[in-house]
Amino acid sequence: MNSFRHFHRFLALFVICAAAQAAQPTAPASVPARPVSAAASPVLPTDFAGWQMKGPVISSSDPAVADATDAAVLKEYGFERLEKASYTRDDGRAVAIKAAVFADASGAYGAFTYYYAPEMREETIGAGAAFSNNRVLFYQGNVLVDAVFDRMSVMSAAQMRVLAGLLPQAEGNKRNPPSLPTYLPKRPSQVTLEKSTTKYILGPVTLDRVGSPLPNSMVDFKSGAEVVIAKYGVNAGDSTLMLIEYPTPQIAAAQLRQIDASHQVTQQQPGVATIVDVGPFFDTRTGPIIVIAAGPLSKSEARSLMSSISYDADVTWNENTYVTKKDNLANFLFNAIVLCGIVVGLALVAGVAFGGLRLLIKRFFPDSLFDRREAVEFISLHLEDEGHATHRKR
């Protein structure tokens, strides 16, 4: 009887589970793009500066949807998700906008420099922008925006500025751009910085695609290296300035020794990475940054480039000690010293005031208050005189 009861319970539980499983919606057989998390806030607004969104927003966390050719590059820059949408205006114009969200502003800036083509011209939109024909490329915080208009107008740049102001921003330090590109000399003597040639690199795939005087094995991105490359015009052509920043000066010094050892290798040996043949090659180090100048440049031109780069350490200490002013011994000692100084000062002021008042009264009112002779009387017992008198009587 008990076995029959257990069998009925098991059968009822099986029927309930089967019904719950059948009630769940089935997933589609094929998904063209991986959807983003439901908790992710939208990036593109429904309208801005007279533009109205047309149709749904296409979202994906697959970098191949953003760029099938350079998906690996986007991964190195910390790609997180993409939003695509179309907008129209009442005058019939249309624009297709892609907004790529990266882990931080360094990734968005790096992707911007990667897609910044030589034929593009600079524009003032967001943190940095460039345009060519009907295409506008700009980044703001950790978001990179690529907009393609069917027809440009004189107000297109202003409308994109409005869009840049509506983009969500990353939190904390993620919104700060990288500091390494700021060390590039803007106007060094004897050489000229070529526009649109600055490339900020965070991985070996990107380094190979932009071209570098060093192979990616000599950079060692696994140690946390960051690279920026720029072209400078010299008398004999274009030279390359490469900055590699490591987490510590010790890592940079060790890596520089390996670069110098490879540069001295005259013949390539199996398994040994050597410097790419780019002509004259100069290198040095400043703090955690390795500076490399390569190409058809003279020693004086190389010296002019590298001498204008100087690393300045900016050390801040913002850790909370959890010690209030009441519990701080140094603060107590300081306040005690200040209190003693105040008391001594008050005593000095009171003494000077009393003495000065007495002198003034003595000068203008002599024998009136402090110097009255009848008030200055001494009681004398004359004990010595009385003893002598007693001795004489005897």
Side-chain angles (χ1 to χ4, degrees), residues 115-145:
Y115 289 111
Y116 193 162
E119 65 272 11
M120 288 184 168
R121 290 181 290 174
E122 291 187 23
E123 184 56 81
T124 307
I125 303 174
F131 73 97
S132 176
N133 297 328
N134 293 343
R135 182 189 181 193
V136 177
L137 183 70
F138 72 90
Y139 76 98
Q140 177 75 359
N142 64 327
V143 181
L144 176 67
V145 175

Side-chain angles (χ1 to χ4, degrees), residues 282-362:
F282 307 90
D283 60 3
T284 185
R285 181 179 67 88
T286 170
I289 300 176
I290 294 178
V291 184
I292 296 173
L297 73 170
S298 63
K299 185 177 292 186
S300 61
E301 291 170 337
R303 187 182 299 110
S304 174
L305 268 176
M306 296 190 296
S307 63
S308 57
I309 301 170
S310 178
Y311 175 79
D312 295 326
D314 186 11
V315 180
T316 58
W317 188 272
N318 55 5
E319 183 177 356
N320 192 354
T321 59
Y322 301 99
V323 177
T324 62
K325 289 185 177 181
K326 185 183 295 185
D327 302 325
N328 195 336
L329 180 60
N331 186 66
F332 170 76
L333 293 176
F334 176 78
N335 292 333
I337 294 172
V338 172
L339 179 61
C340 292
I342 294 174
V343 172
V344 171
L346 291 176
L348 290 175
V349 171
V352 171
F354 180 75
L357 179 63
R358 186 166 182 175
L359 289 175
L360 289 175
I361 293 176
K362 182 178 179 181

Side-chain angles (χ1 to χ4, degrees), residues 56-225:
V57 177
I58 300 175
S59 302
S60 175
S61 59
D62 187 0
V65 176
D67 189 346
T69 305
D70 295 317
V73 172
L74 294 177
K75 278 186 177 181
E76 290 181 345
Y77 284 127
F79 174 86
E80 290 187 342
R81 57 193 174 97
L82 172 77
E83 287 189 6
K84 295 193 298 184
S86 298
Y87 293 84
T88 58
R89 288 179 63 89
D90 294 338
D91 56 5
R93 290 191 297 134
V95 60
I97 298 178
K98 294 192 298 183
V101 181
F102 294 84
D104 51 28
S106 296
Y109 169 75
F112 170 76
T113 62
Y114 181 80
Y115 289 111
Y116 193 162
E119 65 272 11
M120 288 184 168
R121 290 181 290 174
E122 291 187 23
E123 184 56 81
T124 307
I125 303 174
F131 73 97
S132 176
N133 297 328
N134 293 343
R135 182 189 181 193
V136 177
L137 183 70
F138 72 90
Y139 76 98
Q140 177 75 359
N142 64 327
V143 181
L144 176 67
V145 175
D146 190 351
V148 179
F149 293 83
D150 62 342
R151 299 192 314 272
M152 292 281 284
S153 70
V154 293
M155 296 300 295
S156 295
Q159 293 161 2
M160 289 294 102
R161 294 187 190 102
V162 175
L163 175 60
L166 297 175
L167 296 176
Q169 295 298 303
E171 298 179 356
N173 295 330
K174 292 183 178 181
R175 69 178 63 184
N176 299 330
S179 60
L180 182 60
T182 61
Y183 288 98
L184 286 174
K186 304 302 180 184
R187 293 181 180 178
S189 59
Q190 304 183 34
V191 294
T192 305
L193 174 63
E194 301 287 344
K195 291 184 177 181
S196 73
T197 61
T198 301
K199 305 295 181 183
Y200 179 68
I201 304 160
L202 293 176
V205 177
T206 311
L207 185 69
D208 290 339
R209 296 192 181 183
V210 302
S212 165
L214 285 181
N216 62 66
S217 58
M218 296 297 301
V219 177
D220 189 16
F221 284 99
K222 294 181 180 179
S223 63

Side-chain angles (χ1 to χ4, degrees), residues 3-17:
S3 300
F4 187 77
R5 237 180 247 163
H6 288 313
F7 175 78
H8 270 281
R9 290 178 183 175
F10 175 79
L11 183 61
L13 181 62
F14 178 80
V15 172
I16 293 173
C17 292

